[in-house]
Amino acid sequence: MITNKQIADAIFPNITLTIEDLEKKYPLRNLVAGAEVTRFAPSPTGFLHTGSLFTSMICRKVATQSNGVFFIRLEDTDMKREIAGSGERLIEQLKIFDVVPDEGYFGDYEEGNYGPYIQSKRSEIYHTVIKYLLEIGLAYPCFCTPEEVEAIREEQEKLKVNPGYYGQFAKYRNISNEERYQRIINGERYVIRFRSEGNHENKIKVTDLIRGEFEIAENDQDIVICKSDGLPTYHFAHVVDDHFMRTTTVIRGEEWVASLPIHVQIFDAIGWNKPNYAHLPVIMKLDENTGNKRKLSKRLDSEAAVSYFIEDGYYPKALIMYLMTIANSNFEEWILKNNFEHMEDFIFNLNKMSLDGALFDMGKLNFFARELFAKLNKDEITLFAKHYADKYAPELAKRINYNPHYFAEIMNIDREKINPRKDYEKFGNVLDIIGYFYQDLYEAEVAKGLPFNDRFTKEDLIEALVAIKNNLSCEQDEQAWFNSLKEIGAKLNYATNTKEYKANPAAYKGNIGDLAEILRITLTARKNAPNLYSVMKVLGKDESDRRINHVCSLLVK
Ligand code: GLU
């Protein structure tokens, strides 16, 4: 008679390790009481999704605030879906957002005592556990061909019962060890399945740190734990890895709630303690066409990919801060009170998370982005812009690198003061905002026509501009500069006092605001621009005069 042990040896002749060996090799972590061990476990199958940044940020936070450990594990067992280089890219992108693990997979290297942290290198560990399950009869090889699987599905459809591989439909569950042995010796292809003792009619109680305790149907499927290529499935690898890596808190997307009964069953069958689970709600978005909530979609929404924010020149911390408002509803008030600083002191709480999928709100992200950019000093913002532009925005890079000092002065307008301007939310569109400081972009704007108030004739405009050119210097402080502008206005009959002007507008050509607007439009080709004195100072007298001449020459044409 062939024993389970003989089957296990026939399948894994080279596995000599035991579960006890592994327990010794990966001992319980020596951490302070309450320390949480969290992990982010991406698959290298594409780009970093905004939802994954959300998850990993929370994992990082939970570990940090409990003096625990956050590690990254690369889940690369689906060779067919793997995209070369995406694992490394994911790590690089997380780093941009300051989500850096304490141990695990770092892209081009691994570090830590609980590795390997790349699943494809962990076969010996999985096989050791599977060999044990085979020996105790909790796993068996299944030789189903695709045709047999299809036949089972058809029969279940006919009988109107649940689909899947379970109970009476589990064709290879109860064949004899003799038959198993023979098929293995014959070189037939097989997968290895977990033998479920569960019943779909039974409800089990599970606990989730966000949802609390709830009931869910027990698993009755004999799920595949090892594929025919020898690699484990997600369900099995999750249990084995989070056990031997000593994860205390599994934080993952809510799409995994449905398979929780499988994971619980495997943990219990082997007799291992289960980690705590927190299944995070998915980030949603209001569909512009239907007006309904839907998941952020890779296909439809550029903001579903973290790369979008990087390539569009967002300040990484702004996205993290925004995501934290989704994670904990009390965060927003907290960070406003703390003047957008020391986010690390905020105590995050998994049970303060809302279960409704939060709506991704670009407007709110932009609010954080503007606030944070406004807090940077001129060197910090210039450096950020330069790094960004050198990598992603050649037009901008050309201009910054040609004259970094000039760019820094532009960035410094109305900055480093109590109420700084909040102009910038990202650098992807910054030339739309500051382009007029550059001659070619300025002239292109002017060529489209200038928005002067048509109350003023060409002669009025030229008269005002020439007077300004001849008499207004920006080599003085702002108050003196403004007084000069008023004097120029007074001579040309622009009211310098709003009250007087309002009392009798017909007596004047306009008021001082009109005069400033004429100058503003001339220098910037737009009606809205920051502080005119600063703009003129950054442009310099020569360039300001040149612009006045340019506009006057167009006006006389
Ligand atoms: N590799 C899985 C995924 O990318 C990980 C899920 C988990 O965190 O356990 O969805």
Side-chain angles (χ1 to χ4, degrees):
M1 201 181 120
I2 304 272
T3 61
N4 289 344
K5 171 118 185 37
Q6 282 168 298
I7 297 291
D9 284 338
I11 294 178
F12 296 114
N14 300 323
I15 293 291
T16 51
L17 278 178
T18 63
I19 292 196
E20 291 70 48
D21 296 332
L22 294 174
E23 296 288 354
K24 273 193 215 123
K25 184 163 179 205
Y26 303 112
L28 290 179
R29 290 169 184 267
N30 193 3
L31 296 168
V32 296
E36 296 190 60
V37 180
T38 62
R39 85 302 187 269
F40 176 55
S43 299
T45 51
F47 60 83
L48 184 63
H49 193 282
T50 302
S52 302
L53 177 64
F54 180 65
T55 307
S56 55
M57 168 194 86
I58 292 175
C59 292
R60 174 69 274 179
K61 181 78 181 163
V62 167
T64 305
Q65 73 183 16
S66 65
N67 293 313
V69 174
F70 166 58
F71 68 86
I72 292 187
R73 173 171 76 227
L74 192 70
E75 304 213 323
D76 63 339
T77 58
D78 194 345
M79 298 285 176
K80 278 188 264 109
R81 289 180 54 227
E82 182 155 349
I83 296 177
S86 63
E88 287 87 343
R89 233 180 1 262
L90 235 84
I91 299 297
E92 273 166 35
Q93 294 188 335
L94 286 176
K95 205 164 152 195
I96 293 176
F97 292 88
D98 215 13
V99 177
V100 178
D102 301 307
E103 67 178 47
Y105 171 74
F106 284 84
D108 40 6
Y109 67 99
E110 292 181 48
E111 198 176 284
N113 296 331
Y114 291 82
Y117 296 90
I118 299 178
Q119 286 184 330
S120 58
K121 294 191 191 165
R122 296 175 60 79
S123 290
E124 192 183 22
I125 299 171
Y126 304 125
H127 292 171
T128 301
V129 181
I130 297 172
K131 191 168 187 184
Y132 166 74
L133 291 175
L134 286 164
E135 283 170 13
I136 63 169
L138 276 181
Y140 62 89
C142 166
F143 304 89
C144 252
T145 61
E147 294 74 37
E148 284 173 311
V149 172
E150 180 54 23
I152 292 173
R153 199 189 58 77
E154 278 170 16
E155 192 186 344
Q156 288 167 334
E157 221 163 68
K158 231 187 279 156
L159 297 172
K160 293 195 171 38
V161 296
N162 284 340
Y165 199 88
Y166 62 96
Q168 71 194 89
F169 301 102
K171 195 164 172 188
Y172 292 92
R173 181 180 161 110
N174 295 322
I175 61 169
S176 67
N177 275 348
E178 281 65 27
E179 184 180 344
R180 287 186 179 124
Y181 195 78
Q182 204 49 55
R183 285 177 182 264
I184 293 167
I185 300 294
N186 290 348
E188 281 187 34
R189 268 171 84 88
Y190 57 86
V191 297
I192 300 174
R193 290 182 183 270
F194 182 78
R195 178 189 292 273
S196 170
E197 302 297 344
N199 178 344
H200 202 68
E201 307 284 305
N202 290 345
K203 294 268 185 263
I204 55 165
K205 279 200 174 106
V206 286
T207 310
D208 176 282
L209 296 174
I210 303 172
R211 276 144 243 265
E213 192 180 74
F214 61 99
E215 289 198 334
I216 189 165
E218 196 171 33
N219 174 55
D220 63 349
Q221 303 272 338
D222 286 358
I223 62 136
V224 175
I225 53 178
C226 187
K227 298 179 284 187
S228 56
D229 59 7
L231 288 170
T233 53
Y234 167 77
H235 302 306
F236 184 67
H238 149 53
V239 171
V240 171
D241 290 347
D242 285 314
H243 174 72
F244 286 120
M245 293 179 177
R246 309 300 179 185
T247 306
T248 63
T249 315
V250 170
I251 300 174
R252 60 185 181 185
E254 72 181 0
E255 66 273 22
W256 296 109
V257 170
S259 38
L260 194 51
I262 297 175
H263 308 149
V264 166
Q265 188 177 44
I266 304 176
F267 271 110
D268 289 347
I270 311 179
W272 287 339
N273 288 335
K274 292 181 278 291
N276 290 321
Y277 284 96
H279 292 93
L280 303 181
V282 210
I283 301 180
M284 314 283 278
K285 129 155 208 162
L286 263 195
D287 189 291
E288 281 156 19
N289 299 322
T290 63
N292 294 332
K293 263 186 173 188
R294 61 166 171 78
K295 281 189 199 171
L296 261 192
S297 134
K298 289 190 198 181
R299 206 168 42 79
L300 301 173
D301 310 312
S302 45
E303 69 270 35
V306 166
S307 57
Y308 164 75
F309 300 99
I310 300 173
E311 288 163 19
D312 214 12
Y314 271 92
Y315 194 46
K317 206 172 185 178
L319 181 56
I320 289 292
M321 230 175 233
Y322 168 61
L323 290 177
M324 193 52 96
T325 66
I326 299 187
N328 262 186
S329 57
N330 55 329
F331 174 70
E332 193 170 346
E333 200 187 322
W334 186 95
I335 197 79
L336 291 180
K337 227 190 256 156
N338 284 276
N339 201 17
F340 303 93
E341 284 163 18
H342 304 301
M343 185 177 165
E344 63 282 4
D345 294 341
F346 174 72
I347 309 285
F348 170 77
N349 202 332
L350 275 170
N351 55 36
K352 282 209 188 108
M353 246 178 127
S354 141
L355 277 179
D356 317 326
L359 280 182
F360 194 87
D361 179 350
M362 240 2 195
K364 198 180 264 186
L365 166 62
N366 286 334
F367 162 74
F368 280 103
R370 282 193 297 271
E371 291 290 340
L372 293 187
F373 273 141
K375 290 179 84 68
L376 299 185
N377 68 30
K378 105 174 157 183
D379 293 335
E380 288 165 338
I381 195 156
T382 302
L383 196 66
F384 175 82
K386 181 179 157 44
H387 283 161
Y388 160 70
D390 282 344
K391 219 162 168 188
Y392 301 106
E395 265 301 303
L396 179 62
K398 208 168 68 191
R399 291 162 206 279
I400 298 177
N401 293 324
Y402 180 69
N403 190 346
H405 175 73
Y406 184 58
F407 181 79
E409 289 311 315
I410 299 171
M411 287 296 108
N412 202 34
I413 293 177
D414 284 345
R415 178 170 298 280
E416 298 183 18
K417 53 204 277 194
I418 296 184
N419 278 318
R421 275 182 76 91
K422 293 167 185 169
D423 283 324
Y424 312 115
E425 53 199 29
K426 58 183 179 180
F427 274 80
N429 67 353
V430 81
L431 284 179
D432 298 342
I433 304 173
I434 61 159
Y436 60 83
F437 279 102
Y438 294 95
Q439 223 177 70
D440 56 333
L441 299 178
Y442 162 76
E443 279 172 15
E445 275 308 303
V446 173
K448 289 186 205 153
L450 293 176
F452 289 121
N453 187 328
D454 48 19
R455 249 186 30 221
F456 300 107
T457 64
K458 286 183 177 188
E459 290 70 30
D460 291 335
L461 297 173
I462 294 172
E463 175 193 58
L465 289 171
V466 170
I468 289 172
K469 191 179 80 176
N470 293 337
N471 299 297
L472 187 63
S473 157
C474 46
E475 295 308 315
Q476 49 186 340
D477 70 26
E478 188 168 354
Q479 193 52 52
W481 173 89
F482 190 55
N483 289 339
S484 309
L485 187 67
K486 280 203 217 161
E487 269 168 40
I488 296 166
K491 283 200 187 120
L492 298 177
N493 196 28
Y494 287 83
T496 53
N497 176 313
T498 318
K499 236 193 207 159
E500 281 169 21
Y501 178 65
K502 279 202 175 140
N504 192 5
Y508 298 97
K509 195 164 270 175
N511 70 8
I512 187 68
D514 294 318
L515 187 62
E517 184 176 278
I518 293 171
L519 178 58
R520 178 177 299 111
I521 292 173
T522 300
L523 296 183
T524 67
R526 58 179 64 194
K527 276 187 165 172
N528 297 313
N531 180 306
L532 188 53
Y533 167 74
S534 311
V535 170
M536 209 171 163
K537 235 178 140 55
V538 170
L539 286 171
K541 177 73 178 151
D542 287 352
E543 177 60 14
S544 301
D545 287 354
R546 210 194 59 75
R547 290 186 178 196
I548 290 176
N549 289 339
H550 181 62
V551 170
C552 287
S553 72
L554 293 174
L555 287 169
V556 291
K557 264 188 201 162

